[in-house]
Amino acid sequence: MGVVHGEEMVLNIGPQHPSTHGVLRLRVKTDGEIISEITPVIGYLHRCFEKHCENVTYDQVIPYTDRCDYLAAMANNFGYVVAVEELMELKIPEKVEYIRVIMAELQRIASHLLALGVYGLDIGAFTPFLFMLRDRERILDMFELTCGARLLYNYMWVGGVSHDLPKGFVETAFQFLDYFEPQIDEYNKLLTHNKIFVERTADIGVLPADVAISYGVSGPNLRASGVKWDLRRNAPYSIYDKFEFDVPVGDGAKGTLGDCWDRYYVRMLEVKESVKILRQALAQIPKDGDVHQALPKKIRPPKGSIYSRTETPRGDLGFYIESDGSPIPSRVKMRSPAFTALSVLGEIAEGWMMSDVISILGSLDIVLGEIDR
Amino acid sequence: MGLLENRFQDNVVVAKLDKLIGWARSTSPWYFQFGLACCAIEMMATAASRHDLERLGMMPRSSPRQADVMIVAGTVTMKMALRVKKLYEQMADPKYVIAMGSCATSGGPYWQHGYHVLKGVDIVVPVDVYVPGCPPRPEALIEGLLKLQEKILEERPLTRKMA
Amino acid sequence: MSADQEKLIAELVEKGLAGDMDPINAIEDRVLRSKAKAALAKAKRAAKVAAASAPADEKLAEEPPADTTPSDNPNQKFGKMIEDKFPGSLGADLNDTHIQLKPDNWFDIATWLKSEPSLHFDSLQCQTGMDLGDNILEARYNFHSMTHDHKIEIRIAVTRDKPNIPSIEQIWRIGDWFERETYDMFGFHFDGHRDHRRMLLPEDWEGYPLRKDYEVQETYHGIVVPKVKEGWE
């Protein structure tokens, strides 16, 4: 079959663009409509997080971690706090652990809802975006009930949490879960099995498993390529080993294993698993206990370093903390999952057309705040 | 208005041309969604189901040439500052800028050790309304937009400016 | 700075060197507190230089004879395997937290770490840099194996005058971006990297920000960079 070769053109997508999930710039070399090379240029949101960490105390770092991955702020707090507590070898009361898991799973649902809604918006479907944001607002209401903030909470502190669950939180949460579970079927009817959506996402941007591991991809992106790796199951932290849940893995139902549709569907299935974990946690949470009893008077970890990982909605978030015995950290490095997910774009987007690039970028679910820190 | 009031039927309104133009402009400002960081998510939430912005006449536009208001939502870094200026210059007159969030107002939580953060977007573009908060609630952003509407209403585009 | 203030700061620095940071943190006046902290940091740096030049052979004479029983700790186990296969590549003694290597044949060691079936470190988890003061920069790598589920940490120290380390981006593809970021923040030079340029900061930025003695530049393309605006502090 004859192939038409056009002239090579260098295009620029971004940094201001409605579908680039933040300030990302893509330098694209195209041959007609087909991409021959794509280079992401980042750094437009570099807010010097690591320099700030070297100048403030350990608990003052927590609001800065919120603002890195602003769509899943609880998960960032969780990752940092788990790392510092491991360095200090603190023992956390059980009620605090349950509260943390409940908040982390609610945040996982909220983050996935936003990611899937915005993905639909990129493809062109406006209604799922409005529906998913409406349900996300109910979760944000619950967060606001507890700690007063909608998006950036500063909730998890080293040794505890900032506010106890208010009266009536458990009932509100159960009401929300009963309302929300049938909604997942509605989303599947609206978007997941929609013929246009499937045609735009299946078989596109296939990420093989070995390439994914070499690029350090983790989280739903890795699970969609068939690798069953979830930090909550394989390297449990906090009290995740007490709960029963499955780890959804992509299976190439609509096309090839590891395509965009798999990445989308794995996130949808993870929302269901989070609902399962939430039901168990809300039923088992101890009724009384003081959430501030284990807060250390002075956060002064012993000299040493630690690298610890937790599972956020985007993948595994790693914190490398080095302490020299003073109340101010010597170095905090945040290894973000979206950084590795974006690095793989240059490899999997070549050979596809321009509109497929937007589809692939949306399926990777990146947040520029986390990439640039 | 003196001579002309109450002289006509009920469905005839008499007003100054300034006010008429101000009313038309202020009730449909199309905003340029310039979401950079966390405040962009609150801007999206303001435009979504619960706090609907379109009922106030504000439609999101992705191109600066079609927009009236630029909502700078999020931290502006040095690398981005030059592009913000370029985008501002591409907007057509009359144009307004809202600095949303504390990062756009004055550098936000990154003011002290942020070597790469622009301490306030008013260093590169002139700002009309500042909306504080980190991030500001959707209700706060709506109040900022309503204040902008008041400001537009008070403008007198037809008066010749004395030198 | 007045004479009383200088005396007060000298006292606070003495206390801080002994490990007591409370008097400094209790000062109400922000300017004075930051001056005290800066003086403390300078004194600590000077103390470290003095300590490093103290003879190290005293320490060696005190050490007990080396323990030859194999340890279960991955850093010890694999450090020993690396030393057996590539003699002379260890930069310090084996310990429980990390393996210290010299930068010379790092590329061969890294290839072996990934290809050797019993190790199979197929995932580079985190790569970062540290400014240890004293003209020493250190690159740290955290590896993890998905097949065997074990992990190690490797550290490579270089001096500021010659911060060259072989690049491993061809072995673990994420090394490409990690190394560019470490170069951007610290100023390492990764030999053999195919695309060695800055990642997060603009191309024409001066300096390496995460070094401890970084001074921010005054203006960038005409925009004032530091925090001082009129009416602040």
Side-chain angles (χ1 to χ4, degrees), chain A residues 39-44 46 50-51 54 213-216 222 227 229 234 298 300 305 307 309 316 320 322 324 326-331 333 335 339-340 342-343 347 371-373, chain C residues 19 21-22 25 37 44 114 122-130 132 140 142 144 146 149 151 153 155 171-174 177-178 181 185-186 197 199-201 209-212 214:
Chain A
T39 321
V41 178
I42 60 176
Y44 291 93
H46 177 60
E50 296 175 2
K51 191 76 182 175
E54 294 177 11
I213 295 180
S214 173
Y215 272 93
L222 183 65
V227 180
W229 177 262
N234 297 71
K298 262 201 150 352
R300 200 183 274 181
S305 65
Y307 178 66
R309 314 186 273 167
D316 40 295
Y320 184 87
E322 155 116 3
D324 57 358
S326 73
I328 297 185
S330 163
R331 171 106 170 90
K333 154 111 183 155
R335 179 263 194 210
F339 190 76
T340 55
L342 186 59
S343 66
E347 178 119 351
I371 296 178
D372 288 343
R373 272 158 280 129
Chain C
M21 289 292 294
D22 287 331
N25 284 333
K37 283 190 182 162
K44 277 190 180 160
K114 182 164 184 189
D122 49 3
S123 149
L124 169 59
Q125 281 293 317
C126 177
Q127 198 264 326
T128 181
M130 285 285 298
L132 296 175
R140 301 190 176 180
N142 287 71
H144 174 256
M146 299 278 281
D149 199 13
K151 51 187 180 157
E153 180 180 332
R155 300 187 185 180
I171 314 175
W172 293 279
R173 293 296 296 125
I174 189 57
W177 278 29
F178 274 147
E181 189 195 335
M185 293 285 126
F186 285 93
R197 56 195 166 97
M199 170 126 258
L200 299 176
L201 291 171
L210 281 176
R211 291 191 178 177
K212 298 283 181 188
Y214 173 66

Side-chain angles (χ1 to χ4, degrees), chain A residues 221 263 267 341-342 344-345 348 359-366:
Chain A
N221 296 328
R263 291 193 274 276
R267 292 193 171 96
L342 186 59
V344 94
L345 181 70
I348 60 174
S359 183
I360 298 173
L361 188 62
S363 74
L364 290 174
D365 191 14
I366 55 174

Side-chain angles (χ1 to χ4, degrees), chain B residues 16-34:
Chain B
K16 286 200 222 169
L17 194 52
D18 268 345
K19 270 204 166 159
L20 182 67
I21 295 179
W23 168 77
R25 270 192 202 163
S26 72
T27 45
S28 72
W30 286 4
Y31 66 91
F32 175 41
Q33 49 179 54
F34 196 30

Side-chain angles (χ1 to χ4, degrees), chain A residues 39-71:
Chain A
T39 321
V41 178
I42 60 176
Y44 291 93
L45 200 57
H46 177 60
R47 293 184 281 194
C48 333
F49 165 72
E50 296 175 2
K51 191 76 182 175
H52 280 278
C53 289
E54 294 177 11
N55 287 296
V56 297
T57 62
Y58 280 92
D59 46 347
Q60 289 174 332
V61 168
I62 297 177
Y64 288 107
T65 60
D66 264 337
R67 282 146 178 85
C68 283
D69 176 5
Y70 36 85
L71 292 179

Side-chain angles (χ1 to χ4, degrees), chain A residues 19-234:
Chain A
S19 342
T20 55
H21 302 265
V23 274
L24 167 68
R25 176 170 164 224
L26 296 171
R27 272 191 88 239
V28 175
K29 250 196 218 158
T30 66
D31 166 27
E33 183 77 12
I34 301 187
I35 311 276
S36 53
E37 191 185 313
I38 184 167
T39 321
V41 178
I42 60 176
Y44 291 93
L45 200 57
H46 177 60
R47 293 184 281 194
C48 333
F49 165 72
E50 296 175 2
K51 191 76 182 175
H52 280 278
C53 289
E54 294 177 11
N55 287 296
V56 297
T57 62
Y58 280 92
D59 46 347
Q60 289 174 332
V61 168
I62 297 177
Y64 288 107
T65 60
D66 264 337
R67 282 146 178 85
C68 283
D69 176 5
Y70 36 85
L71 292 179
M74 289 285 188
N76 285 34
N77 284 354
F78 203 0
Y80 176 73
V81 157
V82 158
V84 177
E85 285 166 2
E86 212 179 307
L87 193 56
M88 288 174 73
E89 288 170 14
L90 271 184
K91 179 95 180 44
I92 308 296
E94 211 186 348
K95 184 170 191 201
V96 169
E97 300 270 33
Y98 271 98
I99 295 181
R100 283 182 181 174
V101 167
I102 291 173
M103 290 300 169
E105 292 306 312
L106 277 175
Q107 182 71 84
R108 191 179 310 265
I109 299 179
S111 170
H112 280 325
L113 280 179
L114 187 78
L116 302 174
V118 168
Y119 189 38
L121 191 62
D122 284 347
I123 303 285
F126 199 59
T127 312
F129 171 71
L130 293 174
F131 283 15
M132 292 188 188
L133 249 65
R134 172 198 63 189
D135 294 330
R136 179 173 173 262
E137 291 280 337
R138 289 184 66 145
I139 299 182
L140 295 187
D141 277 344
M142 280 198 275
F143 284 144
E144 199 180 339
L145 204 62
T146 315
C147 63
R150 276 171 51 102
L151 197 72
L152 305 167
Y153 317 103
N154 188 11
Y155 185 64
M156 304 202 189
W157 289 352
V158 177
V161 289
S162 72
H163 296 82
D164 198 352
L165 292 181
K167 236 167 56 162
F169 182 88
V170 177
E171 286 82 34
T172 319
F174 271 122
Q175 275 171 10
F176 168 72
L177 290 175
D178 293 330
Y179 154 79
F180 181 64
E181 271 196 276
Q183 293 289 75
I184 304 181
D185 299 323
E186 189 167 327
Y187 299 142
N188 282 340
K189 261 191 286 182
L190 256 184
L191 194 59
T192 315
H193 301 291
N194 187 324
K195 183 171 190 302
I196 303 179
F197 184 72
V198 168
E199 280 205 26
R200 276 206 70 178
T201 53
D203 281 327
I204 295 190
V206 176
L207 178 63
D210 50 343
V211 170
I213 295 180
S214 173
Y215 272 93
V217 176
S218 54
N221 296 328
L222 183 65
R223 291 196 275 283
S225 298
V227 180
K228 198 173 177 127
W229 177 262
D230 185 337
L231 278 181
R232 297 173 290 171
R233 186 40 70 72
N234 297 71

